[in-house]
Amino acid sequence: MRLELLMPLWAIIPLFGGMLFLCAVLLVRRPRQRVAWLRRGLMVALLLVVALRPVTPLEGEQTERMNANVFFVVDRTGSMNAEDYHGEQPRLEGVQADMERIMEMTEGSRYSIIGFDSSATQQLPLTTDAGAAAAWIDTLETEPTAYSQGSNMDRPLTTLLTALTETRRDDPDSHILVYFLADGENTDEREAEPFSQTASLVDGGAVLGYGTTEGGQMRASGGDTDGEYITDESGQPGVSRIDEEQLETIAGQMGVPYLHRDDPEAPIEGTMEGITLRSVPTESPRSVASFEDWYWIAAIPLAGLVIWELGEMTYRLPRRLDRYDLRGAQ
């Protein structure tokens, strides 16, 4: 057993030492209130045990994961709000559904998320914490419309290349799967840089496209116009259209299939051909130590004493008020 202090020792010693000393002095100097001060002293002692937090360390055990590192590259530009997915739903709903489906297909793998809009960032480093990835998916939104600076599909290229290179170096025996989820629309009037450099680093995955050639209207995100439809310079409704040619080009450069997505129930075919997932041990025990806490043994009687103290205060308070009223009347 050892102590995992909830407060620094330099704070515990004077704080609890002072309170115990005060209770001991009043216990001696106020004999009529000895029971009360004995109770309060015991409360301080039990609270001290809670602050010291006695624990029993649990033996670290090696954990297992699947031999795959899954990278999601997600388009968060305003056009992903266009309402032409599976009828008139926003494209982001399709992205969320597909990401959840891919996580089910690769359960137990490590996950990373790279989001891109006006810039690209690795919003979730590689982790076995599927809950963190699921939380990101649940809260997925496009960038605020006011901050949009146009879009280009090559925005995440540098970030993706860096992440893939480091992963291949650090975990050479695991597969790398990349899922690029976007509508392919470039609006910054610049030709996208090729993704060919990623091909040698990618074992599987897919480019998943969202939207229709007819296009859909987009709602603004953030600011005073949040939820309103975006209009162009002439005041006409803004329309975003999928660029499948661009997405197919990226898929070919990466060496993965392109799939147009318009139905959350449609299978995601051919994204893991030749890949067999198997469990592998981690290189080291869990980095986060685990403990069995014992402070609750002190917390239970402490709660009882607190209830007793509150009951005594409730009982004494009306009497004291009556005494003050009588003195005032005299």
Side-chain angles (χ1 to χ4, degrees):
M1 184 174 289
R2 68 190 228 193
L3 302 179
E4 286 288 318
L5 305 181
L6 298 180
M7 298 173 59
L9 192 59
W10 59 263
I12 289 177
I13 292 175
L15 177 62
F16 287 93
M19 288 192 293
L20 287 171
F21 177 76
L22 178 63
C23 290
V25 170
L26 293 176
L27 178 65
V28 174
R29 298 187 63 177
R30 297 186 179 181
R32 292 185 178 181
Q33 300 179 5
R34 279 181 180 170
V35 173
W37 286 106
L38 182 62
R39 179 177 65 245
R40 292 161 189 164
L42 186 55
M43 288 168 60
V44 173
L46 292 171
L47 188 59
L48 173 60
V49 174
V50 173
L52 293 175
R53 191 190 174 194
V55 299
T56 302
L58 300 178
E59 292 184 5
E61 295 182 356
Q62 286 194 325
T63 57
E64 291 187 336
R65 64 173 179 85
M66 303 307 288
N67 62 330
N69 297 305
V70 181
F71 289 85
F72 293 108
V73 183
V74 184
D75 184 355
R76 295 180 60 247
T77 57
S79 61
M80 294 300 286
N81 277 332
E83 298 173 347
D84 59 350
Y85 169 79
H86 195 48
E88 297 182 352
Q89 297 179 24
R91 296 170 184 173
L92 277 188
E93 291 195 12
V95 171
Q96 291 172 307
D98 285 343
M99 291 180 72
E100 291 172 354
R101 187 163 190 164
I102 292 165
M103 288 184 63
E104 291 175 0
M105 291 166 43
T106 59
E107 184 177 0
S109 301
R110 293 200 298 175
Y111 300 99
S112 177
I113 299 173
I114 296 173
F116 70 96
D117 36 56
S118 296
S119 61
T121 57
Q122 188 173 26
Q123 302 198 354
L124 182 69
L126 270 175
T127 178
T128 55
D129 187 355
W136 191 93
I137 296 169
D138 289 340
T139 57
L140 174 59
E141 294 179 343
T142 60
E143 69 174 335
T145 304
Y147 298 121
S148 177
Q149 299 177 14
S151 61
N152 195 297
M153 292 297 103
D154 68 6
R155 289 255 169 87
L157 178 57
T158 300
T159 304
L160 177 62
L161 267 174
T162 300
L164 295 181
T165 302
E166 293 176 351
T167 303
R168 182 63 76 196
R169 180 195 64 208
D170 298 337
D171 190 16
D173 297 328
S174 293
H175 301 294
I176 292 180
L177 306 176
V178 176
Y179 290 90
F180 192 99
L181 304 94
D183 58 22
E185 191 175 44
N186 287 348
T187 61
D188 65 356
E189 300 181 355
R190 179 177 61 81
E191 187 175 346
E193 295 291 329
F195 280 72
S196 307
Q197 300 173 71
T198 65
S200 61
L201 302 169
V202 176
D203 300 313
V207 174
L208 307 179
Y210 302 85
T212 61
T213 54
E214 295 80 12
Q217 296 185 46
M218 302 163 284
R219 293 185 185 272
S221 175
D224 297 335
T225 60
D226 184 51
E228 298 180 6
Y229 283 109
I230 297 174
T231 58
D232 58 24
E233 295 178 356
S234 64
Q236 297 299 312
V239 176
S240 170
R241 297 176 175 83
I242 189 173
D243 187 342
E244 290 198 277
E245 182 179 351
Q246 174 80 285
L247 295 172
E248 288 173 349
T249 297
I250 294 173
Q253 292 168 346
M254 294 178 62
V256 297
Y258 165 72
L259 298 175
H260 179 244
R261 304 295 296 167
D262 191 50
D263 183 353
E265 300 300 324
I268 300 179
E269 301 173 345
T271 65
M272 296 178 62
E273 287 187 1
I275 294 176
T276 302
L277 297 184
R278 57 181 176 80
S279 61
V280 294
T282 57
E283 295 180 354
S284 60
R286 294 180 185 270
S287 58
V288 179
S290 298
F291 305 101
E292 183 172 2
D293 282 294
W294 296 103
Y295 71 87
W296 58 270
I297 296 177
I300 293 175
L302 174 61
L305 292 174
V306 169
I307 294 172
W308 184 6
E309 181 72 20
L310 291 174
E312 286 288 326
M313 291 173 61
T314 304
Y315 174 75
R316 291 195 302 267
L317 185 59
R319 291 191 167 192
R320 290 184 177 179
L321 292 175
D322 290 341
R323 289 178 187 174
Y324 292 141
D325 291 339
L326 289 173
R327 290 175 183 174
Q330 292 175 357

